[in-house]
Amino acid sequence: MNFQDMTSFDKFLTPSLIKIVYWLGIAAIVIASLITIFTAFSFMGGGIKQVIGGLFMLVAGTIFWRVACEGIILSFRIYDRLTEIRDRLPRN
């Protein structure tokens, strides 16, 4: 992607950026989960629920984040397909 593509709005920037945002989100989920799990060890006896919660956050958060990012990408792909269909239709 060059500077002209960024200033002309002919191509979308979001599909390229969503991959970076996805990995930043995964890193944040992993860090938050690890913090939750490791702080459970500071409690006396009651931390097992927090460890399970941290593991659940890791698994469910990763799945939810992936689905959310795929939804954004899907909306741009739908737009691309619709413009292809429009361009193939005969002009009156």
Side-chain angles (χ1 to χ4, degrees), residues 6-65:
M6 292 178 64
T7 58
S8 68
F9 288 96
D10 290 333
K11 292 184 180 180
F12 290 111
L13 183 64
T14 306
S16 301
L17 288 178
I18 198 68
K19 294 175 186 174
I20 297 168
V21 171
Y22 171 75
W23 286 110
L24 291 173
I26 291 295
I29 291 168
V30 168
I31 291 169
S33 298
L34 290 175
I35 289 172
T36 302
I37 291 169
F38 287 132
T39 57
F41 295 117
S42 65
F43 296 116
M44 291 296 194
I48 190 70
K49 291 179 184 177
Q50 193 169 352
V51 170
I52 293 170
L55 292 173
F56 178 76
M57 181 189 339
L58 180 65
V59 173
T62 302
I63 292 170
F64 175 78
W65 187 243

